[in-house]
Amino acid sequence: MSGGLSFFSPRVGFVCNNILSYEIVLANGTLATASETVNPGLWRALKGGSNNFGIVTKFVARSFPSAKVWAGFLYMTSSKVSQLIDAFHQFTESKPGVYDEYAAGPLVCFSYVQKIGIRALSTYLVYTKPEKWPKCYDGFKSIGRIWSTVKIRSLTSATNELDSSSPPGLRQKFVTTTVKNDHATLVEIHALFERSVEALRRVNGMVWTLVLQPLLPASAMKGQLDSQGLNTRTEPLVVVLFTAVWKNKADDFLVEQTTRSIINSIDLYAASRGVADSYRYLNDCASWQKPFDGYGAENKRFLQQMSRTYDPDGLFQKAFEGGFKLDMGSFRP
C-alpha cells in the first residue's frame, strides 16, 4: 500500500503493482473488494495511497517462481568512495541493451559509526538468479574490497542479512529525497553526508548512513497502474535515503535538525543543476515530509477524490492516527 521496492522490482515492478485484489473494511463498516474490475478506483488508490481509505484485511498477490539468489555485502575502505560513486552512477544509467531485470539494487551505503569513530563503505548486491558476478555488476567487481558476504543463498537468508543492519531496541529515523542520476549531484550528496558527521559525533551510539538506490523507469512502469505518478518518468532516478540509529531521547532534536538540514541542502543543490525530482518513496519518509505532493497534482487529487468517495466523513483523515494524510483541506473536486 506504500509502494514496495523489493529484490524483484526490476523484474515485476513495485510490490503494490502486483496486488490483484484487496479486501477492505471501509469507514462505514462495509467489507468491500477492490480489484481491476470491482471498485477499480479504490484498487488503484490503495497502491501507493497508504492507510487513507480503510483497513485492509486481506489481499491477493501475483506470485511467480523464485530460485536461490546471489546476494550479500561488499565492504570497502574509505579510499574507495570515488570509485563506488562512479560504479553506482554507471550502473544506474542503464543504457539500452544493458538493463538486467534480475539485478536488484545495488544499495550503496556510506556509514559513520560513532562508537568506534570510523566510516564504513558497503554495497548490497542481489541477483535473483543463482549466478555469480553477472556482467551488469562489473563496475563493482573491479573495486578492491576487504570483505564480502556475497554468495548463492536462499531468499530468506538474503533478506535476513539486510534486515540485520537495523537492530531493535534503539531510536531510529528515516528521511529521503529523490534526484536524477547526475554524477556531480551524487558527489555533492556524499560531501554533505561527510559534513553532517561533525554535528552527530557526540550522539551516543549513532550509526549515520547514506544509502543510494536506483529507481529505473523500466522497473517503475512494470505491473498495473498505481497512484505514485512514476509512469511519467523517462530518466533513471536515485532514491536517497538517510538512516540514523542512536540511543538517547535527549539527542532527538539534534538528529531531527540534522536530517531536515541535509535534505534541504540536497534539494537546493539538485534544483540548481536541474536534476531535482518531486517523488518521495513513502516507506522512507520522515514524519514531516509530504510524499503525496511528490506524486504530482493529478495523482494527489485522484487520491483525495477516492477518499471523499469511500470515506466522505474523513474518518481515516481525522480520527485514525499514524501514516501520511491527504491534506483534504486543499481538495477541489
Side-chain angles (χ1 to χ4, degrees):
M1 292 168 63
S2 301
L5 288 168
S6 79
F7 294 159
F8 298 98
S9 290
R11 197 190 327 172
V12 300
F14 280 90
V15 174
C16 69
N17 291 342
N18 290 275
I19 302 301
L20 302 178
S21 68
Y22 297 92
E23 181 182 87
I24 181 171
V25 179
L26 301 176
N28 64 3
T30 301
L31 184 65
T33 296
S35 69
E36 190 171 15
T37 55
V38 181
N39 296 312
L42 178 60
W43 177 62
R44 180 187 158 203
L46 287 167
K47 295 186 294 177
S50 193
N51 61 353
N52 284 290
F53 310 99
I55 299 171
V56 172
T57 55
K58 183 170 71 175
F59 59 84
V60 178
R62 185 166 72 91
S63 60
F64 50 86
S66 172
K68 287 191 173 182
V69 301
W70 179 80
F73 279 105
L74 306 177
Y75 292 94
M76 306 154 191
T77 64
S78 57
S79 64
K80 305 296 183 181
V81 168
S82 295
Q83 289 175 262
L84 190 53
I85 291 174
D86 289 348
F88 177 86
H89 177 257
Q90 290 165 14
F91 177 93
T92 307
E93 276 301 295
S94 187
K95 293 180 173 60
V98 178
Y99 180 78
D100 189 329
E101 65 177 12
Y102 292 93
L107 300 178
V108 170
C109 310
F110 307 89
S111 297
Y112 167 70
V113 185
Q114 183 267 344
K115 185 176 181 179
I116 52 179
I118 67 165
R119 287 154 170 81
L121 273 64
S122 63
T123 301
Y124 200 75
L125 301 180
V126 180
Y127 198 70
T128 54
K129 278 183 177 181
E131 298 178 11
K132 297 179 180 180
W133 285 113
K135 184 173 178 56
C136 60
Y137 287 143
D138 280 354
F140 297 95
K141 186 178 182 180
S142 62
I143 303 174
R145 51 194 178 274
I146 56 176
W147 183 35
S148 170
T149 67
V150 181
K151 62 182 179 181
I152 293 174
R153 56 172 75 191
S154 69
L155 179 62
T156 300
S157 171
T159 54
N160 284 346
E161 182 182 37
L162 195 56
D163 185 58
S164 67
S165 61
S166 298
L170 297 172
R171 310 185 76 76
Q172 186 172 42
K173 178 175 284 292
F174 283 22
V175 65
T176 187
T177 189
T178 305
V179 299
K180 295 178 183 177
N181 186 41
D182 174 63
H183 187 273
T185 301
L186 299 180
V187 171
E188 178 63 14
I189 290 170
H190 178 262
L192 288 166
F193 164 77
E194 285 291 335
R195 291 198 288 272
S196 69
V197 167
E198 191 59 37
L200 299 172
R201 283 185 187 278
R202 55 190 172 88
V203 177
N204 190 25
M206 171 60 71
V207 179
W208 174 232
T209 301
L210 160 64
V211 183
L212 303 177
Q213 180 173 10
L215 180 54
L216 306 180
S219 59
M221 294 181 185
K222 291 188 176 183
Q224 309 103 341
L225 182 65
D226 59 34
S227 56
Q228 298 182 98
L230 288 169
N231 57 307
T232 61
R233 306 302 201 277
T234 58
E235 296 181 64
L237 301 176
V238 177
V239 175
V240 180
L241 166 66
F242 288 91
T243 72
V245 177
W246 70 103
K247 287 186 177 180
N248 300 323
K249 184 177 181 179
D251 295 314
D252 288 6
F253 181 71
L254 175 60
V255 175
E256 176 79 8
Q257 278 188 316
T258 303
T259 54
R260 283 179 178 258
S261 175
I262 200 165
I263 290 298
N264 183 58
S265 296
I266 292 170
D267 290 344
L268 288 172
Y269 184 86
S272 74
R273 290 187 57 81
V275 296
D277 192 275
S278 63
Y279 178 73
R280 302 290 180 268
Y281 180 48
L282 189 149
N283 282 335
D284 291 345
C285 282
S287 59
W288 52 268
Q289 295 188 283
K290 297 182 177 181
F292 298 124
D293 288 355
Y295 288 8
E298 183 179 344
N299 286 287
K300 182 178 178 181
R301 188 162 51 248
F302 164 74
L303 291 172
Q304 290 172 327
Q305 181 62 65
M306 290 300 99
S307 174
R308 182 64 56 85
T309 300
Y310 290 97
D311 182 15
D313 295 325
L315 174 68
F316 289 96
Q317 300 302 305
K318 303 170 186 174
F320 191 80
E321 294 187 7
F324 297 94
K325 304 308 178 186
L326 293 171
D327 184 24
M328 293 301 291
S330 68
F331 176 55
R332 299 293 181 270

